[in-house]
């Protein structure tokens, strides 16, 4: 793998980062001891296994360096001094936490994961880190994976991170005695485009610029000079991080979807809205005059398209109807708004800010990143993203994967990001918050479960 320029959106994520606002994605993968007398791998073995498998993933050997052209640009280079041991670390838990007594392991693991998510990745190295949490006395353990957002969006991050699992790693190894694949012979092609290619490129560029102009105009119209969302969601940043998790019954979500119509994602967005409403009321906070806005990322990768590196994102803007007291009415409002977003498509509207970022030159990202970061709260209040995971059962060193909780970065001026994924018949919710702004994040996680229970209790019987 040679030199590769950062795409404009990747460059934007690279320059948006600061010490108080690290721009890495995360996932907390929780493993149970292997069944049987062997009990699977211990923490030291898992650490060695992680190092071996991570080192075999070419993308994880790349680091970012500035380039002369384009001016203000940067590129991925193979790190000739790559040492995988600089990217993996063991973090120990003590006492009951290491033995999973009374749920102590998850409490300890999430607390540590929140602290580790505070740390920016070292920019002079390939921008990723893995931590093995716990793993003593034959108990459960967790692996925290951090990947810089410039390296990948959620779907690409899953594709990269999946290489650590037994099943994916085994599938990638060549079979013993299997004939080597022949390299395809590609006829040489002139670097000078022909007249038809020039015309096609010009038309494509005109379409891109027109699309970017439309998105920019939508952003101006949608921006709020005086955001009136929930104060707790737009608190001043302290640079600290707190993590909480929730586990929702996937079959319950599907039952609600079948009764209400729409998609499972509509149900989950309504659950987020209901959980926020409950949480605000429990903490004695008045409901906001204006419903908080969620930025809901959507992939621009097409089915069957090669898994290109970097980010291929757009997004929808959605008002979370926290002011509506009826759970089923909240769901109906979310479904109607998302249907409207989908009808317009992922390339239109103020939520398609990533599309606009993809059209800006490198210098604009280098010098305009602070301004763009501070403008985020004018557009939305909370990020709510869904991350697809493999459906098959996975393991690491023979230890079965119990759960995966995705984690999203926080934008400037915002104190909460919500990420959801489905695995093992459960919807796993990862909540990342500013530690000082939302010290009661565990309460919000419980509210999500309560919201699903109430939707089920009110399920129409006809």
């Amino acid at each position: 793998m040679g030199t590769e320029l950062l795409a404009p959106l990747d460059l934007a994520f690279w320059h948006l980062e600061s010490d108080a606002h690290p721009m890495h994605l995360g996932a907390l993968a929780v493993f149970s001891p292997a069944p049987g007398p062997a009990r699977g791998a211990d923490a030291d073995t898992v650490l060695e296994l992680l190092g071996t498998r991570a080192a075999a993933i070419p993308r994880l050997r790349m680091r970012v360096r500035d380039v002369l052209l384009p001016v203000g640009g940067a590129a991925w280079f193979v790190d000739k001094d790559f040492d995988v041991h600089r990217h993996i670390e063991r973090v120990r838990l003590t006492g009951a936490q290491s033995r999973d007594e009374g749920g102590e392991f998850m409490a300890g693991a999430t607390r540590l994961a929140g602290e580790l998510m505070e740390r920016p990745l070292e920019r002079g190295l390939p921008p990723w880190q893995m931590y093995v949490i716990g793993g003593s006395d034959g108990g459960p353990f967790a692996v925290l994976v951090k990947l810089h957002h410039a390296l990948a969006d959620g779907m690409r991050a899953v594709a990269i991170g999946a290489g650590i699992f037994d099943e994916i790693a085994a599938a990638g190894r060549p079979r013993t005695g299997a004939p080597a694949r022949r390299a395809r012979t590609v006829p040489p092609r002139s670097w000078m485009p022909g007249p038809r290619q020039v015309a096609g490129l010009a038309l494509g560029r005109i379409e891109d610029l027109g699309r970017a102009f439309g998105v920019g105009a939508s952003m101006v119209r949608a921006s709020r000079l005086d955001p009136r969302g929930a104060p707790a969601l737009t608190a001043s940043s302290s640079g600290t991080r707190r993590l909480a998790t929730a586990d929702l019954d996937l079959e319950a979500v599907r039952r609600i979807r079948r009764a209400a119509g729409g998609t499972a994602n509509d149900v989950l967005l309504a659950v987020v809205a209901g959980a926020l409403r409950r949480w605000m009321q429990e903490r004695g906070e008045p409901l906001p005059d204006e419903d908080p806005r969620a930025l809901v990322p959507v992939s621009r990768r097409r089915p069957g398209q090669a898994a290109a590196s970097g980010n291929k994102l757009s997004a929808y803007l959605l008002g979370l109807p926290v002011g509506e007291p009826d759970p089923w009415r909240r769901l109906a409002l979310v479904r109607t708004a998302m249907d409207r977003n989908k009808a317009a498509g992922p390339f239109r509207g103020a939520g398609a800010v990533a599309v606009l970022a993809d059209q800006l030159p490198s210098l604009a990202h280098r010098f305009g990143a602070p301004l763009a970061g501070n403008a985020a709260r004018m557009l939305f209040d909370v990020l709510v993203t869904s991350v697809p995971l493999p459906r098959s059962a996975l393991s690491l060193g023979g230890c079965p994967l119990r759960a995966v909780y995705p984690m999203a970065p926080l934008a400037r001026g915002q104190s909460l990001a919500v990420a959801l994924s489905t695995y093992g018949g459960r919807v796993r919710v990862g909540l990342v918050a500013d530690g000082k702004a939302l010290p009661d994040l565990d309460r919000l996680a419980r509210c999500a479960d309560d919201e699903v229970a109430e939707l089920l209790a009110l399920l129409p019987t006809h």
Side-chain angles (χ1 to χ4, degrees):
M1 183 178 289
T3 302
E4 175 189 337
L5 284 175
L6 268 73
L9 183 53
D10 303 339
L11 194 62
F13 286 129
W14 189 249
H15 290 306
L16 277 170
E17 183 169 69
S18 67
D19 287 343
H21 297 91
M23 291 300 298
H24 48 253
L25 309 169
L28 183 66
V30 183
F31 297 86
S32 298
R39 303 294 287 170
D42 59 24
D44 292 333
T45 304
V46 168
L47 202 66
E48 183 179 351
L49 193 60
L50 276 179
T52 301
R53 291 179 179 172
I57 300 172
R59 175 58 56 177
L60 297 184
R61 290 175 168 265
M62 307 289 283
R63 70 183 184 93
V64 175
R65 280 171 35 193
D66 291 342
V67 293
L68 293 176
L69 292 175
V71 178
W76 294 104
F77 290 81
V78 174
D79 185 357
K80 296 180 180 179
D81 300 317
F82 176 75
D83 180 1
V84 73
H85 297 98
R86 301 179 70 176
H87 298 267
I88 57 174
E89 182 181 339
R90 182 179 177 188
V91 184
R92 299 176 186 272
L93 295 174
T94 59
Q97 290 182 345
S98 65
R99 295 187 295 273
D100 202 20
E101 294 180 1
E104 288 295 317
F105 171 77
M106 275 304 300
T110 53
R111 177 185 58 79
L112 273 174
E115 294 173 2
L116 294 170
M117 286 294 287
E118 293 178 12
R119 304 179 187 176
L121 295 164
E122 190 171 338
R123 292 172 75 86
L125 298 175
W128 64 274
Q129 198 78 26
M130 295 184 190
Y131 303 88
V132 178
I133 300 174
S136 61
D137 300 326
F141 66 91
V143 175
L144 174 65
V145 180
K146 292 165 52 175
L147 296 174
H148 200 285
H149 213 333
L151 186 66
D153 55 25
M155 290 183 66
R156 182 61 177 162
V158 169
I160 293 172
I164 70 171
F165 294 111
D166 298 338
E167 295 76 10
I168 311 299
R173 287 196 298 266
R175 291 176 298 166
T176 304
R181 288 185 180 180
R182 283 189 173 185
R184 287 192 307 161
T185 302
V186 180
R189 185 173 63 178
S190 171
W191 64 272
M192 287 289 290
R196 290 185 179 179
Q197 290 174 293
V198 170
L201 289 171
L203 286 172
R205 186 59 180 160
I206 290 170
E207 289 176 359
D208 288 343
L209 290 174
R211 181 182 297 149
F213 180 81
V215 172
S218 297
M219 286 179 60
V220 171
R221 290 193 297 269
S223 294
R224 303 164 298 177
L225 296 178
D226 181 23
R228 290 174 291 168
L233 300 181
T234 53
S236 299
S237 174
S238 67
T240 61
R241 292 294 180 270
R242 179 179 289 270
L243 171 66
T245 62
D247 293 88
L248 309 179
D249 185 350
L250 178 58
E251 181 54 34
V253 171
R254 288 171 173 166
R255 284 182 60 194
I256 295 166
R257 183 208 51 86
R258 288 193 292 267
T263 67
N265 199 50
D266 294 341
V267 176
L268 293 174
L269 289 168
V271 167
V272 172
L276 286 172
R277 175 186 171 86
R278 290 170 180 272
W279 172 71
M280 292 174 192
Q281 290 180 319
E282 285 186 12
R283 67 193 332 233
E285 182 177 317
L287 296 176
D289 296 330
E290 181 181 316
D291 286 336
R293 288 178 177 178
L295 188 73
V296 183
V298 57
S299 176
R300 290 192 281 140
R301 299 181 191 275
R302 296 174 182 172
Q305 187 180 39
S309 60
N311 289 268
K312 298 290 182 183
L313 290 173
S314 184
Y316 298 135
L317 273 184
L318 171 70
L320 296 172
V322 300
E324 171 55 53
D326 181 76
W328 279 88
R329 175 62 180 157
R330 280 197 297 270
L331 176 51
L333 290 171
V334 166
R335 180 186 172 189
T336 299
M338 288 302 291
D339 285 348
R340 189 163 52 244
N341 277 327
K342 292 169 190 174
F347 297 100
R348 295 184 180 180
V353 58
V355 176
L356 176 61
D358 245 349
Q359 309 305 321
L360 297 178
S362 302
L363 272 177
H365 290 302
R366 183 175 291 272
F367 295 110
L371 180 62
N374 290 326
R377 66 174 297 179
M378 298 173 61
L379 194 61
F380 65 97
D381 303 296
V382 59
L383 177 75
V384 184
T385 182
S386 295
V387 182
L389 293 178
R391 295 183 180 180
S392 57
L394 300 171
S395 61
L396 178 61
C399 299
L401 177 64
R402 189 160 89 188
V404 182
Y405 301 97
M407 288 168 276
L410 292 181
R412 293 173 191 258
Q414 293 168 351
S415 52
L416 176 67
V418 182
L420 310 105
S421 64
T422 300
Y423 181 80
R426 308 288 291 179
V427 178
R428 315 291 181 172
V429 185
L431 304 172
V432 176
D434 183 282
K436 291 188 177 179
L438 275 67
D440 57 345
L441 192 63
D442 289 336
R443 180 187 294 176
L444 177 57
R446 289 194 298 271
C447 287
D449 200 44
D450 293 341
E451 182 68 11
V452 173
E454 183 168 3
L455 281 166
L456 272 180
L458 297 175
L459 200 66
T461 55
H462 57 275

